[in-house]
Amino acid sequence: MSDTPGKQQNTAAFYGQAVASFAVAMAATAIGIYQLSADAWVRAFLAIAVLYLVTSAFTLSKVIRDRQEGTGAGPSYAPYEKH
C-alpha cells in the first residue's frame, strides 16, 4: 500500500471503459425491453424500474464516496494494514 497523500485519479482509458460499459448495458436493456413480447404497460413498468435502479445506484455511489471523503482518514477498513 502506498502512503502518499492526495487524491487518486483514474486514467482516461478507465473512465472511457466505464462510460462505454454503462452505455452498452443501458442500450442492451432498452432493446431487450422494447423487443419483449408483452403488453405496453409491462414494458413501461420495466423501463421505469430500470431507470429507478440506475438513479438509486448513482445516489448510493455518491453517498459512499461522500462518506469516505468526509472522514479524512481514508477507508475505515484496511485488512492488510500492519499496526
Side-chain angles (χ1 to χ4, degrees):
M1 289 180 61
S2 175
D3 290 333
T4 57
K7 188 174 182 180
Q8 182 180 359
Q9 295 291 324
N10 293 325
T11 64
F14 181 76
Y15 179 78
Q17 185 271 332
V19 170
S21 176
F22 178 76
V24 167
M26 285 297 291
T29 303
I31 291 169
I33 290 173
Y34 180 76
Q35 294 292 327
L36 189 64
S37 60
D39 292 337
W41 72 268
V42 173
R43 291 193 308 255
F45 175 80
L46 291 174
I48 294 296
V50 167
L51 291 176
Y52 180 61
L53 179 63
V54 168
T55 57
S56 63
F58 274 105
T59 302
L60 177 61
S61 67
K62 183 187 178 311
V63 167
I64 292 171
R65 183 202 62 201
D66 291 348
R67 177 178 279 182
Q68 287 179 345
E69 288 179 353
T71 61
S76 61
Y77 176 67
Y80 301 112
E81 186 175 325
K82 292 182 180 180
H83 296 282

